[in-house]
Amino acid sequence: MPQEQQCYRERPSRLPGAVVWTWDAPDHLPREPRSVLPDGCMDLIWTGGRIVVAGPDTHAFQVEPRNRASCAAIRLAPGTAPVLLGVPAHELRDHRADLADLWPSSTVRRLTDRIDEASDPAEALERFALERIADTGPPDLRTVAVAEGLRRGRTVAATAAEAGLGARQLHRRSLAAFGYGPKTLARILHLQRALELIRTGLPYAEAACAAGCTDQAHLAREMRDLAGTTLGAYFGAGGADANSETPQPSGSSTTA
């Protein structure tokens, strides 16, 4: 197994739809930057005594090797982080921010100290997320239904109708919950679904159709537009765990 994958671990969270993940920086970091593909999610990342929020991406985010310190994190399902943080997702789109820039510094300092002192920082971060959601309440059910409908390949119009929302209402709610409009979210979720299917061994063309793309050429275009690469190059570079990331210290997370 490549050293990259040995250093990265993840497990399902007790928070519905979330994933807890850790990254243990190896002694010898790779020379090339690593691409983190957009997935509609947002991450809370603890590293080096600070907590960073990775906002929803619209394109691949490049992580430089020199910035990849060990960390523990929780990846929150689409629509969950804005409820937990109290910040609209579009304000963090394509951005990495210190939690201390979003919340009172004293609150963040107490939370950071709590995680710093924990024997398992990832579990402590997950416990915080569970406690926070218990206070704020879960995401709106219509928001959850929108994300699920789009993930399953439903059209934006059909998804809006099923959620009982007009086009403008859906767009406004999507910006706040997901960071971008429903069409962009659908493209990102379809791409991620196709990549999941390809990892299971499904041919590109079959994965494209199953994920909601018109054909393999459509999937190839989406890969270039959203990921800045091609299917062949992505999987050749070991794309099996390419949704994990380590944050920038500055506070910023091939042809098919």
Side-chain angles (χ1 to χ4, degrees):
M1 179 181 294
Q3 189 177 39
E4 281 278 294
Q5 296 182 30
Q6 290 178 351
C7 298
Y8 173 77
R9 298 178 180 84
E10 69 173 41
R11 63 169 174 81
S13 171
R14 289 172 288 164
L15 184 66
V19 172
V20 175
W21 61 268
T22 59
W23 163 264
D24 297 319
D27 294 334
H28 302 288
L29 289 171
R31 295 182 180 179
E32 298 300 321
R34 187 169 186 274
S35 292
V36 179
L37 305 193
D39 59 6
C41 300
M42 294 174 62
D43 294 56
L44 284 179
I45 305 168
W46 169 87
T47 183
R50 50 195 284 262
I51 300 174
V52 174
V53 180
D57 292 324
T58 58
H59 53 77
F61 177 72
Q62 301 296 317
V63 183
E64 296 294 335
R66 66 180 180 276
N67 295 328
R68 300 182 67 186
S70 296
C71 59
I74 182 168
R75 183 180 307 123
L76 300 163
T80 304
V83 176
L84 189 151
L85 297 173
V87 178
H90 64 81
E91 293 187 8
L92 297 169
R93 183 174 56 232
D94 294 322
H95 187 56
R96 305 303 186 261
D98 276 312
L99 185 59
D101 293 335
L102 308 176
W103 284 7
S105 58
S106 59
T107 300
V108 177
R109 185 163 52 249
R110 287 194 297 271
L111 174 59
T112 304
D113 289 344
R114 169 180 163 184
I115 297 174
D116 287 346
E117 295 167 2
S119 58
D120 185 343
E123 194 279 334
L125 188 61
E126 179 187 32
R127 187 164 62 250
F128 155 72
L130 287 164
E131 293 169 355
R132 178 72 179 174
I133 286 292
D135 290 337
T136 63
D140 182 81
L141 290 178
R142 284 190 289 185
T143 297
V144 176
V146 166
E148 181 61 17
L150 295 176
R151 189 189 71 81
R152 290 179 177 274
R154 302 288 289 171
T155 65
V156 171
T159 300
E162 290 174 355
L165 298 170
R168 290 184 178 180
Q169 287 179 308
L170 176 61
H171 189 78
R172 185 171 60 251
R173 283 173 173 263
S174 295
L175 287 177
F178 311 123
Y180 21 65
K183 290 184 179 180
T184 298
L185 177 63
R187 293 177 65 201
I188 289 170
L189 295 179
H190 292 172
L191 175 62
Q192 285 291 339
R193 177 58 177 158
L195 297 179
E196 289 176 7
L197 293 171
I198 293 169
R199 290 186 191 108
T200 68
L202 202 65
Y204 290 170
E206 293 182 34
C209 293
C213 295
T214 306
D215 51 26
Q216 182 175 334
H218 181 192
L219 175 59
R221 290 194 299 272
E222 295 291 76
M223 191 70 180
R224 285 194 296 270
D225 289 348
L226 297 171
T229 186
T230 64
L231 292 165
Y234 175 75
F235 285 102
D241 67 331
N243 282 338
S244 64
E245 67 173 286
T246 54
Q248 301 262 11
S250 61
S252 54
S253 154
T254 75
T255 303

